[in-house]
Amino acid sequence: QRFTWAEWRRPVIAVIITFLCTVESSMLSIGEWPYMSTIDHDATSSFYGISTAVNKAGHAICAFVFAVWAHRISAIRIPLIVGRCITLFACFMYIFVEFIPANRRWWMMVCYLLFGVGFGTSPLLRSYIARHTSEENRSTAYALQSGATVLSVVVGPMAQIAFSWLPYPGAIIIPPNLKFNIYTAPIWVAVITNVIAITLTLVSLDDPKNEEFLEKETSPAAPSLSFGGRIAQLRSLHLPWLLILLVIFSKIVSQLALGTIIVGPMFTAMYAFSGEDTALVLGIAQVVVGVIALALSLLFFVFKLGRFVSMRALFLSSLIIVLLSYIIIYPFPFSSSPMQPFNETTRSGCNTAEYSWCDTALIVNIIPFLITMVITNAVAMPSTYLSLDTIYSKLIGNIDQNIMQSFFVIAEDISMVVSPIYAAEAFTFAVLNVVIINGVVFAIGTPLWLAAWKCL
C-alpha cells in the first residue's frame, strides 16, 4: 500500500506536535539535577526524586482530566493548546528561578509540576493517531510517533551540548540573576518549540469525526450519558480486560528501567563528575541513544516492519535486554571501584554527610555503565513503547480511545511517581540495591508475558 498524504496528513501532524511537546523534556532533563544542586546547596538527591515524582503525578492526574475534557467536547485541539500554554508559563518561571532569594529548589519543583501538567495532553495525540489510522497501519504510525519522541532525544541533548562552552554562571542578560549558560540555554529553545506547537495546533490540527463516531454521538442515547455512564459503557463492552490489565502491568514494569535509575545524582556523587561534565556526558550519551532509536523507528516506518515483526516478541526481547543490563551494572567486586571523595568546590563526589555508604560501596566502571544505559534506552525502551502501544490499541479496538489511552498513561505515570521517590531513598540509604529489586520484578513480569503469549 502506497503512502498518500490524504491518509497520513493527520497522523503526521500529530507526530510533529508530539516531537515539539517532548523535545523540551529531553532538553531540560539532562541539566535539571546539576542546575538544582548548583543554585541551591540544600537540594538533595531525595528532594530531586520527590520533584521528579511531583512532575509525574501532575502528568498522571492531568492526563485523565484532559482526556475527559477531550471526550466531552469530542475534540483535542483546545485541550492541547491549554496544555502548551501551561508549559510555556512554566518555561518562563524556570527562566526566572534565580531571582528567588532562597529555597530555589521549591520554585523548581513547581516548574516540574507545571511541566507535568502541560504534558498531560500526551494521550490525546495517541488516541488521535489511533482514530485516524487503520489497524493495518497503526503500528507504522506509532513507530513514526516513537521516532518523533526519540528524535527529541537527539535534538534536546544537542541543544545542551551546543552550549557546553558556556559554563555556569555564563552570560548575564539582566543583572544580577537572569543568566544564559549550559543549564538555562535549553529553556529558551523550549519556549520556541512551545510557541511553534501552539501555532501548528491552531493552524493545522483539526477534529473531524468519522462516520462511526458521528453516529454514536448523535444517537438519542448518547447525550444522556454522563462520564460515569461512559465508564459503565466501556465496562459493558466485550473487551479482553485481563489482557488489557496485563499490558498495563507490563507498561508499569517496563517503566522501572527508567524511573529507578537517577542518573544525575549517580554521575555527580558516584562518578564525581562536575555539573557541567554531567550535562555534557549525558548529552552525548542521549544523542547516541536518540540516533540508534531513531534508526530503529525509521526501519519500522519505511519498511512497514510492524506488519511482519511480532509485537509480543518485540516486547519480550526488550524485557530480556533490560534484565541483562541489571546484571551488567551491578557492582561486582571484580568489575568495580571505590567512590571518589566529595569536592566542595565542584560539588561532586560522594558526600559522607549525605550518604552513609561512601566509604564502603563500590561502583561499576563508567564504560560498561554508559554502554548498558545507551543500549537499554536506545533499543529496549523504544521497542517497549512501540510494542505495548500497538498491542494496547488493538485490544481496545475501534472505539473512542481518549479515556482508555489516558488510563494507559496514568498507569505509566503511577509507576513514574513511585519509582523516583523509591529510587532516591534507596540511593540515599542503600546505593544500588535497587538493581536487585528491579531484576526480581522483571523476572516476574517475563513469565507472565509468556503465559499470555498465544492470546496477545
Side-chain angles (χ1 to χ4, degrees):
Q1 184 178 355
R2 295 181 61 186
F3 178 95
T4 60
W5 177 245
E7 180 185 7
W8 283 90
R9 182 180 69 84
R10 295 186 185 103
V12 167
I13 290 172
V15 165
I16 294 173
I17 296 175
T18 296
F19 167 77
L20 294 170
C21 292
T22 54
V23 70
E24 71 183 42
S25 176
S26 64
M27 284 187 293
L28 296 177
S29 61
I30 295 172
E32 282 175 350
W33 165 249
Y35 189 37
M36 180 187 286
S37 60
T38 298
I39 64 175
D40 190 340
H41 292 177
D42 291 330
T44 63
S45 58
S46 294
F47 184 88
Y48 177 67
I50 294 171
S51 300
T52 303
V54 166
N55 171 272
K56 298 304 178 182
H59 185 209
I61 294 170
C62 291
F64 185 71
V65 171
F66 281 122
V68 172
W69 184 10
H71 185 82
R72 285 187 178 276
I73 65 175
S74 299
I76 72 166
R77 185 162 67 166
I78 295 176
L80 273 176
I81 292 172
V82 171
R84 286 300 92 204
C85 289
I86 291 172
T87 306
L88 186 61
F89 177 73
C91 288
F92 285 112
M93 282 187 61
Y94 198 93
I95 287 171
F96 287 96
V97 62
E98 291 195 59
F99 281 88
I100 306 301
N103 296 318
R104 292 166 174 169
R105 65 191 185 281
W106 292 99
W107 181 271
M108 294 186 76
M109 178 187 282
V110 175
C111 293
Y112 297 162
L113 172 62
L114 293 179
F115 286 141
V117 168
F119 197 55
T121 56
S122 57
L124 304 185
L125 292 167
R126 293 152 62 101
S127 63
Y128 187 83
I129 289 175
R131 173 177 287 195
H132 295 294
T133 54
S134 64
E135 185 171 315
E136 183 183 30
N137 290 328
R138 195 160 299 157
S139 62
T140 302
Y142 277 134
L144 191 61
Q145 188 181 40
S146 176
T149 302
V150 298
L151 179 61
S152 72
V153 175
V154 177
V155 174
M158 286 179 68
Q160 188 81 70
I161 294 171
F163 295 98
S164 61
W165 56 272
L166 195 62
Y168 185 86
I172 308 297
I173 300 176
I174 300 178
N177 291 320
L178 188 59
K179 302 166 183 174
F180 191 79
N181 52 57
I182 187 174
Y183 302 134
T184 60
I187 198 67
W188 292 98
V189 182
V191 168
I192 296 172
T193 60
N194 267 287
V195 171
I196 296 173
I198 292 171
T199 304
L200 185 61
T201 303
L202 284 170
V203 173
S204 301
L205 191 74
D206 53 10
D207 284 301
K209 302 170 187 173
N210 60 39
E211 293 180 2
E212 180 180 353
F213 289 114
L214 189 60
E215 288 174 4
K216 288 182 180 179
E217 293 176 5
T218 57
S219 64
S224 63
L225 285 177
S226 64
F227 174 69
R230 298 278 182 168
I231 296 296
Q233 187 181 58
L234 283 174
R235 292 176 59 188
S236 67
L237 295 176
H238 297 293
L239 297 177
W241 291 107
L242 286 178
L243 293 178
I244 289 173
L245 290 175
L246 174 62
V247 174
I248 291 175
F249 172 75
S250 300
K251 186 75 168 180
I252 293 173
V253 169
S254 65
Q255 288 302 310
L256 288 175
L258 292 179
T260 55
I261 302 297
I262 45 176
V263 180
M266 287 179 66
F267 268 58
T268 55
M270 301 174 73
Y271 291 108
F273 283 26
S274 66
E276 288 85 355
D277 288 343
T278 297
L280 179 60
V281 172
L282 289 181
I284 295 172
Q286 287 278 51
V287 169
V288 176
V289 166
V291 170
I292 297 173
L294 182 60
L296 180 65
S297 297
L298 288 176
L299 282 174
F300 269 86
F301 179 71
V302 174
F303 297 103
K304 306 291 190 295
L305 295 184
R307 301 180 184 179
F308 312 106
V309 176
S310 168
M311 293 295 106
R312 58 187 181 180
L314 187 64
F315 178 69
L316 179 61
S317 65
S318 67
L319 280 179
I320 294 172
I321 291 173
V322 174
L323 194 56
L324 290 174
S325 73
Y326 284 134
I327 297 173
I328 293 172
I329 67 173
Y330 187 79
F332 295 105
F334 60 83
S335 61
S336 306
S337 56
M339 304 290 172
Q340 296 295 317
F342 183 68
N343 186 318
E344 184 67 38
T345 303
T346 61
R347 305 292 301 175
S348 62
C350 201
N351 188 354
T352 54
E354 185 174 357
Y355 307 115
S356 61
W357 38 261
C358 289
D359 296 329
T360 57
L362 299 175
I363 181 65
V364 71
N365 187 278
I366 186 65
I367 300 301
F369 180 84
L370 282 174
I371 292 174
T372 302
M373 186 180 73
V374 167
I375 294 175
T376 300
N377 286 277
V379 179
M381 289 300 103
S383 297
T384 294
Y385 298 146
L386 172 59
S387 56
L388 292 182
D389 286 353
T390 303
I391 292 171
Y392 186 76
S393 178
K394 289 182 178 180
L395 289 174
I396 295 172
N398 191 26
I399 63 172
D400 184 343
Q401 295 197 1
N402 278 325
I403 291 179
M404 290 297 292
Q405 287 288 352
S406 73
F407 289 155
F408 197 45
V409 173
I410 289 170
E412 173 185 336
D413 282 339
I414 289 173
S415 173
M416 295 299 287
V417 168
V418 175
S419 56
I421 299 176
Y422 150 67
E425 293 301 317
F427 182 77
T428 300
F429 296 106
V431 72
L432 282 178
N433 285 349
V434 65
V435 172
I436 300 175
I437 300 174
N438 286 2
V440 171
V441 173
F442 271 81
I444 294 172
T446 303
L448 286 177
W449 189 259
L450 290 173
W453 186 268
K454 292 183 179 180
C455 300
L456 293 167

